[in-house]
Amino acid sequence: MGRKVTQVDFGVPELPRDKNVAAYCRVSSGKDAMLHSLEAQVSYYSSLIQSHSGWEYAGVYADEARTGTKDTRENFVRLLDDCRAGKIDMVLTKSISRFARNTVTLLETVRELKGIGVDVYFEEQNIHSLSTDGELMLTVLASYAQEESRSASENQKWRIKKNFEEGKPWSSTLLGYRNVNGRYEIVPEEAETVRMIFDWYLEGLGATAIRNRLNAMGIETRLGNKWSRSPILKLLRNYAYTGNLLLQRTYRENHITKKCIINKGEKPMYHAENTHAAIIDMDTFNRVQEEMERRAEQFKHKKGEKTPTNPFSGLVRCCRCRKNYVRSGSPSYRTWTCRTRRKEGLKNCGADIIPEEELLRLTAEVIGGEVTEDAVRDKITAIRAEENRTLVFCLRNGKETVKQWKEHEVVHVCTEEQKRQISLKNSGRKQTEEQRRRQSERMKEYWKTHSFTGEQLQKIREKRKAYWNDSEASEAHRQKLSRMMKEMRAGNSGAGKEGDGNA
């Protein structure tokens, strides 16, 4: 019998693929020394992963978070998302406290990553989360890390309490003052801005009008930003400008959530008198508080009265900037405008303004009945305002309905009685001669002591140049200047002829 030889094909052996390895770093404050430490950690882990055979570099995720107890660390969340997406096989981190100081958060995260096969290696403790005894060791050591966080929080609370008892201020970013060795010292230029804001408010200006005036004058906030309504209202309510301090008006819930709670008697308050020089006298401060209460009372709803809401509030969304539409216009002609366009102008968002009449008509067609808040919310989840006057109604059944609205030609005609009422209303807003004189004197004094830095002058020149280069913005201004110059020339020419004739 002949010999039979059969070739056995074992196939090409499958080589193990390289692990996708990432690292996570965190520092607990934004100080320069800490930021240098963060840079060093990023550089170290980048070199370590790229030089290790069998490892594929998947990036270094770094946060400049104040604490490890919060889940709002942006890059930490991004790291978890990439792990869930299968982009990472192993995560390197310096220690348990750098990863999370909250035991529950740490164990939940590690268990989730373990469930999808992602290993977390804690370098300082030499622990792999996928090892058999890894979770037991992590539980014990994470408890120590959480206790360390609690101890640091208690020490901080004790230090703050001692400062309060001694009448030392907590904030160091108060416009008009600088915290020098635990005591507020006045910054003259900023103090003048504070006085102007208080005076303008008592003269009848609101927070929005004050904001616009400060930004037009080029005056910046304490941190060098443009003004908005909220900082102005906070400034007007700040008791520290009277030279006194009311301390511990808020406190933190605990060292894990760090939620800020208004103190309603749960903790002691400290009232320190004459701790620093006052910018605003007590009489002016009290008058401003009374005026704020008076204005708030005008918009306050009676007890038990339900605040009226609109069926479309928070429902209409701009397709350009993704912001909601807000209701605007006069009672005779209501419209819905993109929030970005309304606040920042047409240059930042060119979305169309939707007439409310058209919005109501199209919504009635879509829901097949009367437009009420309950009827709209029951059938519609969102309304997308797209280009070419198009509205896309997103229904609760998952379908979408597309409608187009029509532009209305509105002619505003005022009767004589309406003109008289408008004139009376506007006359009440005009400043008296005494108010104008005081304002003029105050501005003269302000500009005597105020001078622009080279950087501010450069910004002004750039704004001016951008304005005159913008044909749309400056065309009306150019026409106005041209008309004024022609009138001046005509007036001068007429005066010269008349003078020659009299001579």
Side-chain angles (χ1 to χ4, degrees):
M1 188 175 181
R3 181 182 297 178
K4 185 178 179 180
V5 179
T6 304
Q7 183 177 347
V8 179
D9 187 7
F10 290 98
V12 180
E14 186 178 347
L15 297 175
R17 71 173 181 84
D18 291 346
K19 281 186 178 180
N20 293 323
V21 181
Y24 178 74
C25 312
R26 179 181 67 82
V27 293
S28 53
S29 73
K31 294 179 181 177
D32 289 342
M34 291 294 185
L35 295 179
H36 288 312
S37 170
L38 184 62
E39 290 175 4
Q41 289 181 60
V42 172
S43 176
Y44 165 73
Y45 282 116
S46 298
S47 302
L48 176 66
I49 296 170
Q50 293 179 45
S51 61
H52 194 287
S53 60
W55 285 2
E56 191 71 30
Y57 180 68
V60 177
Y61 299 74
D63 279 311
E64 297 171 20
R66 286 188 175 183
T67 173
T69 59
K70 290 187 178 179
D71 299 327
T72 53
R73 292 171 281 164
E74 182 182 348
N75 286 314
F76 183 73
V77 173
R78 191 165 61 86
L79 170 69
L80 297 182
D81 289 340
D82 288 348
C83 289
R84 295 180 189 114
K87 298 178 182 179
I88 298 170
D89 300 313
M90 185 166 74
V91 178
L92 307 180
T93 188
K94 183 180 178 183
S95 65
I96 290 172
S97 62
R98 295 296 91 190
F99 200 68
R101 281 184 176 169
N102 182 347
T103 308
V104 175
T105 302
L106 174 71
L107 292 178
E108 284 179 351
T109 306
V110 169
R111 283 171 184 167
E112 182 189 354
L113 296 179
K114 188 176 181 179
I116 57 177
V118 178
D119 185 20
V120 183
Y121 176 63
F122 300 92
E123 193 174 21
E124 197 171 281
Q125 291 81 18
N126 192 24
I127 297 175
H128 282 274
S129 63
L130 291 183
S131 63
T132 53
D133 59 346
E135 185 165 328
L136 174 63
M137 293 296 296
L138 285 173
T139 305
V140 175
L141 293 173
S143 299
Y144 281 110
Q146 183 169 322
E147 182 60 24
E148 180 188 351
S149 175
R150 188 197 65 79
S151 176
S153 175
E154 291 300 322
N155 290 338
Q156 179 79 334
K157 286 179 182 177
W158 180 86
R159 185 176 68 82
I160 293 170
K161 185 173 179 291
K162 292 294 291 182
N163 286 344
F164 286 167
E165 290 173 351
E166 295 172 7
K168 292 182 179 178
W170 171 244
S171 174
S172 298
T173 57
L174 186 62
L175 184 75
Y177 291 108
R178 292 293 182 276
N179 192 336
V180 181
N181 299 324
R183 182 180 174 84
Y184 279 145
E185 291 188 3
I186 289 180
V187 180
E189 297 82 4
E190 294 181 3
E192 184 60 30
T193 301
V194 173
R195 293 188 190 100
M196 285 196 302
I197 291 173
F198 273 82
D199 288 344
W200 288 342
Y201 193 82
L202 289 177
E203 288 173 8
L205 294 182
T208 303
I210 293 173
R211 174 201 67 186
N212 295 339
R213 184 174 288 187
L214 289 170
N215 289 335
M217 292 171 65
I219 298 174
E220 297 177 337
T221 64
R222 167 73 173 81
L223 301 177
N225 301 319
K226 285 190 173 183
W227 286 90
S228 58
R229 292 183 76 255
S230 179
I232 291 170
L233 293 173
K234 286 181 180 178
L235 184 148
L236 291 168
R237 293 191 183 102
N238 201 322
Y239 183 62
Y241 288 119
T242 63
N244 309 302
L245 293 173
L246 185 61
L247 304 169
Q248 197 155 271
R249 289 177 296 179
T250 61
Y251 65 94
R252 299 289 181 182
E253 184 179 38
N254 55 54
H255 69 287
I256 295 177
T257 64
K258 297 198 180 292
K259 183 180 177 182
C260 187
I261 299 174
I262 296 173
N263 187 2
K264 295 181 179 179
E266 297 87 352
K267 302 281 184 182
M269 281 192 188
Y270 303 88
H271 183 246
E273 297 183 15
N274 302 319
T275 56
H276 53 279
I279 294 177
I280 302 299
D281 61 85
M282 188 61 75
D283 179 58
T284 302
F285 181 80
N286 289 334
R287 284 193 293 128
V288 166
Q289 306 317 302
E290 291 170 4
E291 177 64 16
M292 293 181 82
E293 289 179 10
R294 187 191 67 78
R295 297 186 192 183
E297 197 67 32
Q298 296 176 356
F299 302 98
K300 195 175 181 181
H301 289 277
K302 295 178 182 178
K303 192 174 182 181
E305 182 183 350
K306 187 179 178 181
T307 305
T309 56
N310 191 282
F312 302 109
S313 295
L315 203 64
V316 186
R317 185 172 289 269
C318 175
C319 70
R320 298 192 183 199
C321 64
R322 307 299 177 189
K323 296 289 186 181
N324 285 342
Y325 268 61
V326 293
R327 199 172 186 229
S328 55
S330 64
S332 60
Y333 183 67
R334 290 292 184 188
T335 59
W336 286 79
T337 310
C338 169
R339 187 183 296 275
T340 304
R341 173 170 176 170
R342 182 174 172 82
K343 290 182 69 176
E344 301 174 20
L346 190 60
K347 288 184 180 179
N348 294 289
C349 184
D352 294 324
I353 298 174
I354 307 170
E356 186 173 77
E357 186 179 336
E358 281 294 286
L359 188 57
L360 288 167
R361 181 180 67 82
L362 296 177
T363 305
E365 290 180 8
V366 171
I367 65 177
E370 185 183 358
V371 178
T372 63
E373 185 175 2
D374 292 336
V376 171
R377 303 288 172 174
D378 286 344
K379 295 188 177 180
I380 300 173
T381 59
I383 302 173
R384 292 201 312 271
E386 299 189 349
E387 296 180 1
N388 300 323
R389 300 175 186 172
T390 303
L391 294 178
V392 180
F393 292 82
C394 304
L395 307 179
R396 289 204 177 274
N397 59 12
K399 296 181 180 179
E400 292 186 350
T401 302
V402 181
K403 296 281 186 180
Q404 279 201 313
W405 53 271
K406 299 175 184 177
E407 184 66 74
H408 285 192
E409 184 179 350
V410 182
V411 179
H412 296 280
V413 179
C414 290
T415 63
E416 291 301 321
E417 177 59 22
Q418 287 174 328
K419 290 178 182 178
R420 190 180 70 81
Q421 292 294 338
I422 292 170
S423 178
L424 287 172
K425 186 177 179 181
N426 290 336
S427 64
R429 295 175 178 172
K430 292 179 180 177
Q431 289 183 324
T432 63
E433 287 296 329
E434 178 61 21
Q435 287 175 328
R436 280 198 291 268
R437 186 186 64 77
R438 284 176 55 201
Q439 174 70 12
S440 176
E441 289 176 358
R442 190 161 50 248
M443 294 306 296
K444 285 177 182 176
E445 289 298 320
Y446 173 78
W447 289 114
K448 281 180 185 177
T449 57
H450 185 83
S451 59
F452 287 113
T453 63
E455 186 179 351
Q456 288 174 324
L457 288 171
Q458 182 61 28
K459 284 183 180 178
I460 292 170
R461 291 191 196 99
E462 288 174 358
K463 284 182 180 178
R464 224 178 258 162
K465 186 176 179 181
Y467 173 78
W468 287 110
N469 287 339
D470 185 354
S471 58
E472 292 183 7
S474 59
E475 184 58 34
H477 193 177
R478 286 193 183 96
Q479 290 178 1
K480 183 178 178 181
L481 288 176
S482 176
R483 187 173 64 254
M484 289 172 63
M485 293 300 294
K486 286 178 181 178
E487 289 173 358
M488 287 175 62
R489 290 193 194 101
N492 292 337
S493 175
K497 291 177 182 177
E498 186 179 349
D500 292 341
N502 292 336

